[in-house]
Amino acid sequence: MCVFCKIVKGEIPSYKIYENKNVLAFLDISQVTPGHTLVIPKKHYENIFELDEKISGELFKATNEIAKKLQKKLQINALNIINNNGPLAGQEVFHYHIHLLPRYENDNVKFNYPKHEFDKQKLEEIHKKILGN
Ligand code: AMP
Ligand code: ZN
């Protein structure tokens, strides 16, 4: 059984901050910033490609509520939502989860995305690929 399924079952401890029938949220064990929270479906889905769409709606609703709770209780006004799917994307725990990362002045967290300027032809090619059969 995966580590988050064990948390759902109460077999390993966690600092829960939200719970309903299908969704659970708890503090990440390694806090990138204070209040770093994970929101998960109680049922095991490996990643977004497997996730049930009804559950994803419930998850985002809970994520929205939790973000507002963190805003109020931690007095923050900046927050990143991160979700890694697949090893190539940096996923390490293979039970779907959304990271909520409260942001603070001088917290030293930096995202280093490369940005590529694609010309019109390249963008059209990709657009066609995604929309085509
Ligand atoms: P990811 O790289 O998106 O798969 O993130 C997995 C996250 O799960 C990491 O930030 C870990 O710190 C966190 N994590 C792993 N085990 C536990 C645990 N027992 N309780 C809380 N968070 C955990
Ligand atoms: Zn699991």
Side-chain angles (χ1 to χ4, degrees):
M1 194 192 300
C2 94
V3 63
F4 291 173
C5 281
K6 284 183 182 160
I7 286 176
V8 170
K9 285 197 169 236
E11 288 178 10
I12 59 174
S14 68
Y15 292 93
K16 291 181 190 165
I17 62 165
Y18 177 99
E19 182 165 16
N20 70 24
K21 187 168 163 268
N22 297 316
V23 179
L24 181 66
F26 49 90
L27 295 180
D28 193 303
I29 203 164
S30 45
Q31 296 273 288
V32 173
T33 60
H36 178 185
T37 296
L38 300 176
V39 188
I40 68 166
K42 286 184 175 174
K43 192 172 165 198
H44 184 96
Y45 299 97
E46 187 166 321
N47 54 39
I48 196 153
F49 308 115
E50 291 193 350
L51 190 63
D52 180 275
E53 285 175 23
K54 191 178 157 288
I55 296 291
S56 65
E58 289 186 38
L59 271 177
F60 201 72
K61 186 172 181 295
T63 298
N64 196 179
E65 271 181 52
I66 297 159
K68 288 170 181 162
K69 187 177 189 148
L70 296 176
Q71 180 195 32
K72 192 170 164 209
K73 300 290 178 118
L74 301 179
Q75 289 164 350
I76 50 120
N77 259 313
L79 177 141
N80 294 109
I81 294 178
I82 299 162
N83 163 227
N84 303 321
N85 296 281
L88 260 184
Q91 186 176 8
E92 288 180 355
V93 174
F94 295 95
H95 181 131
Y96 185 82
H97 54 281
I98 297 169
H99 295 258
L100 290 190
L101 200 61
R103 299 301 304 271
Y104 303 88
E105 288 285 350
N106 304 315
D107 63 15
N108 258 330
V109 177
K110 286 187 183 67
F111 297 101
N112 193 12
Y113 301 114
K115 289 190 178 173
H116 307 289
E117 291 261 333
F118 276 18
D119 59 25
K120 192 167 174 279
Q121 190 194 336
K122 231 170 170 188
L123 287 172
E124 277 174 4
E125 215 176 277
I126 297 165
H127 187 240
K128 226 166 153 181
K129 208 169 177 178
I130 295 169
L131 294 188
N133 301 316

